[in-house]
Amino acid sequence: MVTPLKGTLLLLAGTFALGGTSLLISTIAADPLVIASLRCLLAVPMLLPLALWELRRVDRAASLPLRTVVGALVAGLALGIDYSFWNTSIGLVGPGIATVLLNIQLVALPLIAWLVERARPMPQLAAIIPLMLTGVAMTAGTFDVGGVQLGGVLAGLAAGTAYAIYLAVIRRTAPATTKPAPFTVLALVCLSAGAAAGVGAVITGGAHWPAEPGTWGQLLALAFVGQVVVFWCLNVGMTGISETATSTLLLLPGVFALGLSSVLLRETPSPIQLTGCAVIILGAWWASLASHRRRRGRESSAVDRR
């Protein structure tokens, strides 16, 4: 059993590792889409032992129905797009800001639910969306003409939106069982994501595989830390703490990435950009908190009707 303390420590370790992956990506001399592809494909053999281990302990028919398998492959396509845009954003605006921009997924998720399921979005979004867009504008350097990196900001927003699609598909195709097979699903996701990013690299003409052994070492480290370690810490840690605490801790990768970029890469954003990042994180925290309160309200109402 995972205690709240262990769960918190695992989440902190996972979010720190996730924040550090953006710095690692920024040092790899390869096309952004190639990095995205190899990050996922190299993780598949690493995940295979974990997948085989859990497949021996679950009811495969209940844990991996066709809906879940297809959902993992479709979600992988979205994740491949997410990684491709995120890597591009890292190269243009730096690892710290690019990681913060991913928080737009907390606003994109309820909007996707509204478009797909006609689920009325929470009323707080009327204030949260302008707040986060203001933060994005500040982060992009809109108020400092010399610092504008519009392409990198748009790539970061596209990455966050694609990640929201990934989450939406994964959640809606999860098996109705208390014993899922998360690492098997993750292996399928990585296989699909790697293929999607690889096709993108071929289409854009960037499919040139690294020739230096050192680059392959960096890619192996990225696959291990960014896929195996991060997802293991998050998947296990989430079982020991509340959803509200989880969603709050999941805002930390951007903070860690900004701090690490400043210390290790000497890439300190301007005061306006730092303020914009803080506004984005505030908006994401508000959206997450409002979402959980709304869910609890619905659950309480359902209990009362019974």
Side-chain angles (χ1 to χ4, degrees), residues 67-278:
R67 173 184 174 85
T68 298
V69 173
V70 173
L73 296 175
V74 172
L77 294 177
L79 191 66
I81 295 171
D82 162 37
Y83 283 160
S84 298
F85 276 115
W86 187 44
N87 292 354
T88 301
S89 180
I90 288 172
L92 294 174
V93 298
I97 292 177
T99 305
V100 170
L101 288 169
L102 286 176
N103 287 318
I104 200 70
Q105 57 95 1
L106 287 169
V107 170
L109 264 176
L111 293 179
I112 291 172
W114 180 35
L115 291 173
V116 174
E117 301 173 350
R118 298 301 178 187
R120 180 182 296 180
M122 51 193 176
Q124 292 90 339
L125 282 184
I128 293 172
I129 290 177
L131 176 69
M132 293 192 75
L133 289 178
T134 300
V136 169
M138 296 173 72
T139 302
T142 302
F143 305 108
D144 177 13
V145 177
V148 172
Q149 289 286 350
L150 183 59
V153 171
L154 292 178
L157 296 179
T161 303
Y163 187 64
I165 295 172
Y166 159 76
L167 290 176
V169 174
I170 284 291
R171 289 177 182 178
R172 285 160 176 77
T173 58
T177 176
T178 57
K179 293 184 177 180
F183 288 107
T184 304
V185 170
L186 180 58
L188 292 172
V189 166
C190 286
L191 185 63
S192 178
V199 170
V202 172
I203 293 174
T204 59
H208 305 293
W209 309 120
E212 297 295 327
T215 302
W216 282 99
Q218 290 176 302
L219 288 167
L220 286 169
L222 176 62
F224 178 70
V225 175
Q227 301 302 114
V228 181
V229 172
V230 167
F231 279 89
W232 183 82
C233 287
L234 299 186
N235 288 347
V236 176
M238 285 178 186
T239 64
I241 61 178
S242 68
E243 288 186 350
T244 302
T246 297
S247 61
T248 301
L249 289 172
L250 287 178
L251 298 176
L252 291 178
V255 178
F256 287 140
L258 282 171
L260 289 171
S261 297
S262 178
V263 173
L264 299 179
L265 302 181
R266 308 291 183 181
E267 293 182 357
T268 304
S270 69
I272 289 180
Q273 288 178 311
L274 284 173
T275 303
C277 290

